[in-house]
Amino acid sequence: MRRAILAGCILAGTFVVGVADAETTPDNAIKYRQAVLQTLGAGLTGVSMNLKGEVTIPDAIPEHAAAVAAAAPLIAPAFEQDTAGQGSARTKAKSDIWASWDDFQQLAGDTEEAAMALADVAATGDNRAIGQQLQTLGASCKACHDKYRD
């Protein structure tokens, strides 16, 4: 039930972003994409801390993984607005993102697939498999960061 509600909220948010895109300031575009990426990071941290035993709330792993999977499809849309050299908000995004948009979209898609796979494996409760998929997802994130993040 919670996943259905979360999916509905994300779809509604995606619709609103699409409608409001023409009016989005560069600063707000930057802040929005940072919020999307912080959501991913928070979910990944929740999974990782549980796997490492830093916290012991193993029933939360599937929920954290679901949050990651829900946010991952928002990566590319969050970067659609080219903000290179615009606005005053601090960003680590390189202008190469928009110069190499097709490649960026491919990397974002790879991350989305890895995030969906993490949510699937997290539902099994197999910590070894979850850890392996977490590493796969981390490598996908790193591939994009190495090319497109200062």
Side-chain angles (χ1 to χ4, degrees):
M1 179 66 166
R2 284 188 279 178
R3 288 190 182 137
I5 292 169
L6 180 60
C9 290
I10 288 173
L11 288 175
T14 302
F15 175 74
V16 170
V17 169
V19 170
D21 186 47
E23 301 171 16
T24 303
T25 66
D27 285 343
N28 285 340
I30 291 166
K31 290 174 188 175
Y32 175 76
R33 71 176 177 240
Q34 289 172 342
V36 168
L37 297 173
Q38 288 167 355
T39 299
L40 286 164
L44 292 170
T45 298
V47 172
S48 178
M49 290 181 76
N50 273 284
L51 290 178
K52 292 176 183 178
E54 295 172 350
V55 295
T56 52
I57 312 169
D59 291 344
I61 291 174
E63 300 301 326
H64 289 298
V68 171
L74 300 175
I75 296 171
F79 281 88
E80 282 180 358
Q81 184 173 336
D82 182 347
T83 60
Q86 300 176 33
S88 60
R90 294 184 58 170
T91 181
K92 294 180 182 180
K94 292 182 179 180
S95 61
D96 294 347
I97 290 170
W98 300 282
S100 304
W101 182 249
D102 290 342
D103 182 59
F104 178 81
Q105 282 187 298
Q106 178 63 51
L107 291 173
D110 294 346
T111 297
E112 181 180 342
E113 287 180 28
M116 299 299 176
L118 177 64
D120 289 344
V121 74
T124 70
D126 180 345
N127 284 351
R128 180 178 160 94
I130 295 167
Q132 289 172 339
Q133 187 57 37
L134 186 62
Q135 288 180 346
T136 299
L137 177 53
S140 179
C141 293
K142 184 179 182 321
C144 194
H145 287 184
D146 285 351
K147 279 182 125 172
Y148 298 114
R149 183 180 183 198
D150 278 331

